[in-house]
Amino acid sequence: MTTAVSSASAFSADAPLSAAALDHRSVVRFTGRDVLPFLQTKLACDTRRWRLTGGGYGVAVDINGKLVFDGHFALDGAGVLAVVTSDRASAAVEHLDKFVIMEDVAMTCVDVAVVQVWGAGHAAAVGLAADRDPDMAAYAVTAGTAFASVNPLGDPIALLVGADAGALLALTASHGAAIVSATGLEELEIGSGVPRLGRDLFAERTIPLEAGLWAGVSLSKGCYLGQEVLERMYSRGSAARRLVRLTGAGAAPNAGAALLAEDEDAGELTSAVASAGGWKGLGWVRRRFLDAGALSLAGAPVTIASVVGGEAPSAP
């Protein structure tokens, strides 16, 4: 499956084209004639759009609106591929399988490699529909597939799925991509404010709207599992906490450190990396402290740089 991407990614301002193996990601394959209507009622995103876009980013929540898994989805001719966090792949299948009653839907975890490509030139580099690179087209047919999605903040990325991560990285390198290590990718995500499930987002605890995951949630589609909670939170603006980007001076603190507003518990740091003059990170802050002006961590001042995902968009 190939899908064009028209806009340049803001994920990395430093490299026009970059690629990294996603060792923390796995693939779930969905097959059967009822896959799209089934997923439409179980995912918070609008799967009807996929017939035009080829796929996209989406989240699944439980009946209480809490995150079960997030993923990048793509139509691949035989069904739907979902690139999900590896430690949630089995949980994703178990969660969805219990809702299959009479539908023709099957789902399996697939042992394949995933490589992410981003940057202003990524569409041409991986041969998405905009350019139809013949080398990538041939590779996609014989060894995997390439598709476009967005990261949780809505910046476009491309994903390659195939048998061998090394071959996929070599392919992107031949198109001028700079290869980024797993550590480098994580540092880039944290510094850019891109949350990751298991690090900044937590299964069965995080409500997607608290984390600003607007790219994975439809505010206008019909009924789906957990919709009532998300719609109520959206309409009332009642998220008790928000995921935020943080900055501070000195060495990067450890994840899990408490954030304080004077002597009150204001939230928790989830991740941090060194940056010029100090550190950048992500963390959860209780809503009533978002405008506090000053927070502290281990006695040192901390600044809220921005709320991840920004304020709620207007429902279409």
Short mmCIF file of all heavy atoms in Angstrom, two decimals, residues 7 54 82 85 87 95 104 124-125 132 134 140 152 154 172 176-177 201 204 206 240 247 251 287 289:
data_model
loop_
_atom_site.label_atom_id
_atom_site.label_comp_id
_atom_site.label_asym_id
_atom_site.label_seq_id
_atom_site.Cartn_x
_atom_site.Cartn_y
_atom_site.Cartn_z
N SER A 7 3.03 17.23 2.81
CA SER A 7 3.68 18.21 3.67
C SER A 7 4.96 17.66 4.26
O SER A 7 5.13 16.47 4.41
CB SER A 7 2.72 18.62 4.80
OG SER A 7 2.32 17.50 5.54
N GLY A 54 -5.51 5.66 2.80
CA GLY A 54 -4.70 4.45 2.89
C GLY A 54 -4.39 4.04 4.32
O GLY A 54 -3.82 2.98 4.55
N ALA A 82 -1.30 -3.04 11.31
CA ALA A 82 -1.21 -2.10 12.42
C ALA A 82 0.17 -2.21 13.04
O ALA A 82 0.58 -3.29 13.47
CB ALA A 82 -2.28 -2.38 13.47
N THR A 85 3.09 -0.77 19.58
CA THR A 85 4.17 -1.02 20.54
C THR A 85 4.24 -2.51 20.83
O THR A 85 3.23 -3.15 21.09
CB THR A 85 3.91 -0.24 21.84
OG1 THR A 85 3.68 1.13 21.53
CG2 THR A 85 5.09 -0.35 22.78
N ASP A 87 5.17 -4.43 23.26
CA ASP A 87 4.65 -5.03 24.49
C ASP A 87 3.13 -4.87 24.62
O ASP A 87 2.55 -5.32 25.62
CB ASP A 87 5.36 -4.47 25.72
CG ASP A 87 5.18 -2.98 25.90
OD1 ASP A 87 4.43 -2.36 25.11
OD2 ASP A 87 5.80 -2.41 26.81
N HIS A 95 -7.67 -7.71 23.33
CA HIS A 95 -8.72 -6.71 23.56
C HIS A 95 -9.76 -6.74 22.45
O HIS A 95 -10.97 -6.76 22.72
CB HIS A 95 -8.08 -5.33 23.65
CG HIS A 95 -9.06 -4.20 23.60
ND1 HIS A 95 -9.87 -3.87 24.66
CD2 HIS A 95 -9.35 -3.32 22.59
CE1 HIS A 95 -10.63 -2.83 24.33
NE2 HIS A 95 -10.34 -2.49 23.08
N ASP A 104 -16.62 -11.34 10.19
CA ASP A 104 -15.52 -12.03 9.51
C ASP A 104 -14.25 -11.20 9.72
O ASP A 104 -13.90 -10.36 8.89
CB ASP A 104 -15.84 -12.20 8.02
CG ASP A 104 -14.71 -12.89 7.25
OD1 ASP A 104 -13.82 -13.49 7.90
OD2 ASP A 104 -14.70 -12.82 6.01
N ALA A 124 9.65 11.01 -1.36
CA ALA A 124 10.41 10.57 -2.53
C ALA A 124 11.36 9.44 -2.19
O ALA A 124 11.53 8.49 -2.96
CB ALA A 124 11.19 11.75 -3.11
N ALA A 125 11.97 9.51 -1.00
CA ALA A 125 13.00 8.54 -0.65
C ALA A 125 12.46 7.13 -0.52
O ALA A 125 13.14 6.17 -0.84
CB ALA A 125 13.69 8.95 0.65
N ARG A 132 6.69 7.29 -6.86
CA ARG A 132 6.72 5.95 -7.47
C ARG A 132 8.13 5.48 -7.76
O ARG A 132 8.45 5.07 -8.87
CB ARG A 132 5.90 5.94 -8.76
CG ARG A 132 4.42 6.21 -8.56
CD ARG A 132 3.74 4.99 -7.96
NE ARG A 132 2.30 5.19 -7.91
CZ ARG A 132 1.45 4.29 -7.43
NH1 ARG A 132 1.90 3.17 -6.94
NH2 ARG A 132 0.17 4.53 -7.41
N PRO A 134 10.91 3.22 -8.45
CA PRO A 134 10.80 1.82 -8.89
C PRO A 134 11.50 0.84 -7.97
O PRO A 134 11.03 -0.27 -7.78
CB PRO A 134 11.44 1.84 -10.29
CG PRO A 134 12.32 3.05 -10.29
CD PRO A 134 11.63 4.05 -9.43
N ALA A 140 8.73 -3.35 -2.12
CA ALA A 140 7.50 -3.44 -1.37
C ALA A 140 6.70 -4.68 -1.77
O ALA A 140 6.08 -5.33 -0.94
CB ALA A 140 6.65 -2.19 -1.58
N PRO A 152 2.19 10.86 16.79
CA PRO A 152 1.07 11.29 17.65
C PRO A 152 0.79 12.78 17.64
O PRO A 152 -0.29 13.19 18.01
CB PRO A 152 1.50 10.81 19.04
CG PRO A 152 2.37 9.63 18.78
CD PRO A 152 3.13 9.98 17.53
N GLY A 154 0.90 14.54 14.86
CA GLY A 154 0.35 14.89 13.56
C GLY A 154 1.38 15.19 12.50
O GLY A 154 1.03 15.54 11.38
N THR A 172 16.92 3.00 2.65
CA THR A 172 16.72 4.42 2.92
C THR A 172 18.05 5.18 2.85
O THR A 172 18.10 6.31 2.38
CB THR A 172 16.07 4.64 4.30
OG1 THR A 172 16.93 4.13 5.32
CG2 THR A 172 14.73 3.95 4.37
N GLY A 176 19.77 8.65 0.65
CA GLY A 176 20.32 9.80 1.36
C GLY A 176 19.88 9.96 2.79
O GLY A 176 20.15 11.00 3.41
N ALA A 177 19.23 8.95 3.36
CA ALA A 177 18.77 9.07 4.74
C ALA A 177 19.91 8.91 5.73
O ALA A 177 20.78 8.05 5.56
CB ALA A 177 17.70 8.02 5.03
N LEU A 201 3.03 7.64 27.93
CA LEU A 201 1.62 7.24 27.93
C LEU A 201 1.53 5.87 28.57
O LEU A 201 2.44 5.04 28.40
CB LEU A 201 1.08 7.18 26.49
CG LEU A 201 1.39 8.37 25.58
CD1 LEU A 201 0.92 8.08 24.16
CD2 LEU A 201 0.71 9.64 26.12
N GLU A 204 -4.21 1.59 30.00
CA GLU A 204 -5.23 1.44 31.03
C GLU A 204 -5.16 2.54 32.09
O GLU A 204 -5.81 2.45 33.12
CB GLU A 204 -5.17 0.05 31.68
CG GLU A 204 -5.33 -1.08 30.65
CD GLU A 204 -5.14 -2.45 31.26
OE1 GLU A 204 -4.80 -2.54 32.45
OE2 GLU A 204 -5.34 -3.43 30.53
N THR A 206 -3.97 6.19 30.81
CA THR A 206 -4.01 7.46 30.08
C THR A 206 -5.28 7.57 29.24
O THR A 206 -5.64 6.64 28.50
CB THR A 206 -2.80 7.58 29.14
OG1 THR A 206 -1.60 7.57 29.92
CG2 THR A 206 -2.86 8.86 28.33
N ALA A 240 -8.39 16.26 33.82
CA ALA A 240 -7.85 16.63 35.14
C ALA A 240 -6.36 16.91 35.08
O ALA A 240 -5.81 17.55 35.99
CB ALA A 240 -8.13 15.52 36.14
N THR A 247 11.10 22.16 30.45
CA THR A 247 12.51 22.49 30.31
C THR A 247 13.07 22.87 31.68
O THR A 247 12.34 23.34 32.57
CB THR A 247 12.74 23.67 29.35
OG1 THR A 247 12.08 24.84 29.85
CG2 THR A 247 12.20 23.35 27.96
N ALA A 251 21.59 18.98 34.70
CA ALA A 251 21.53 17.65 34.10
C ALA A 251 20.09 17.16 34.00
O ALA A 251 19.23 17.54 34.80
CB ALA A 251 22.35 16.66 34.93
N ARG A 287 -4.20 19.96 35.94
CA ARG A 287 -4.73 21.11 35.21
C ARG A 287 -4.62 22.41 36.00
O ARG A 287 -4.27 23.45 35.44
CB ARG A 287 -6.19 20.85 34.81
CG ARG A 287 -6.87 22.07 34.19
CD ARG A 287 -8.20 21.73 33.57
NE ARG A 287 -8.03 20.96 32.35
CZ ARG A 287 -7.77 21.48 31.17
NH1 ARG A 287 -7.59 22.79 31.04
NH2 ARG A 287 -7.66 20.73 30.11
N PHE A 289 -2.46 23.47 37.84
CA PHE A 289 -1.11 24.01 37.94
C PHE A 289 -0.52 24.39 36.58
O PHE A 289 0.62 24.83 36.52
CB PHE A 289 -0.19 22.99 38.62
CG PHE A 289 -0.56 22.69 40.04
CD1 PHE A 289 -1.00 21.43 40.41
CD2 PHE A 289 -0.49 23.68 41.01
CE1 PHE A 289 -1.35 21.15 41.72
CE2 PHE A 289 -0.83 23.40 42.32
CZ PHE A 289 -1.27 22.13 42.68
#
